[in-house]
Amino acid sequence: MNLTAYGQGCFGVNINGKNLLFDPFITGNDLAKAKEIDVDSIPADYILVTHAHFDHTADVERIAKRTGATIISNWEIANFYEKMDLKTHPINIGGKWNFDFGTVKYVTAVHSSSFGDGTYGGNPGGFVIWGEGFSFYHAGDTGLTMDMKLIPMTCPKLNFAILPIGDNFTMDMQDAVFASDFIQCDKIVGCHYDTFGFIEIDHDEARKAFANKQKELILPEIGEAFTV
Ligand code: NI
Ligand code: MN
C-alpha cells in the first residue's frame, strides 16, 4: 500500500485509485513548513478525521473545499463541517460503513476532542480500514486501552497500523509496543511525535523498543512517499 507522511497524524493513503487523507494538519506545523509541504496540492477523495483537535483538523476545510472530498468522522465533527456545506459521512464508535474504496470502522480512542473555539468534537476515535487484500488501523490520538484487543476479534488481520508514540498527549513508545500486541500487528508506522517540544522522541530508542519484540517501526520523513 502506498502512503505519504505529512507530519503529526496526517497521512495520505492511495487505495484502489482513491486518495484517503487522515487528519490534515499542515498549516501551523513547523516541521511540515520546513519540508515545504504544499497544502493546496495534497490530493483527497476522502478526509478521515479522528478527532477535533487543531493538530488534526487545521486544513480539513481548506482541502475539502478545493477537492470536494467527503469528510468521514464522528457525528459531531461531521455536523460541524456539514454546516459549512462540505460533504460528510457521519459515523460513531463501533460502527462501520462500506465505501467505494473499502470498509471503514470507527473504533475507540481514549483521548478528548474539541475544536479550537471549544466546540464539542464528540468522542475521539481511530479508523480500521479494510478491503480486498488489505487491512490497516490509524489509531488517532489515544492512550493504551484494552479496547484495542477488540480489533483483531472484529476486523480482518491488520497488515500495518499507524500508532502515536510521542507520549505526553498519547501513548509513549513502550505503550505503543503493548498496543501492537493487543492489535496483533508487527508492522507499525509511528505518528504524533517531534511536532512540539512535549512530544520529541529519540528515533533509535523507539525503533529498538519495537525491534526487541521482533516488530518493525517505520518513522517516515515528512513529505516522504513510502510503501508498507
Ligand atoms: Ni488530540
Ligand atoms: Mn494530537
Side-chain angles (χ1 to χ4, degrees), residues 12-73:
V13 183
N14 188 280
I15 303 174
N16 301 326
K18 298 289 177 187
N19 288 302
L20 277 62
L21 184 67
F22 291 88
D23 288 358
F25 167 54
I26 314 303
T27 305
N29 182 349
D30 290 341
L31 299 185
K33 192 176 175 186
K35 298 285 184 177
E36 297 180 348
I37 302 297
D38 176 13
V39 188
D40 296 320
S41 66
I42 296 175
D45 297 299
Y46 295 92
I47 301 172
L48 294 91
V49 182
T50 62
H51 66 294
H53 288 156
F54 77 96
D55 58 321
H56 301 260
T57 56
D59 293 307
V60 171
E61 184 184 351
R62 179 165 169 180
I63 296 172
K65 276 190 173 146
R66 170 175 56 84
T67 58
T70 299
I71 297 159
I72 304 171
S73 192

Side-chain angles (χ1 to χ4, degrees), residues 50-53 73-78 80 106 112-115 118-125:
T50 62
H51 66 294
H53 288 156
S73 192
N74 69 33
W75 176 263
E76 288 78 9
I77 292 172
F80 180 87
Y106 192 59
S112 58
S113 177
S114 53
F115 287 95
T119 301
Y120 176 56
N123 283 316

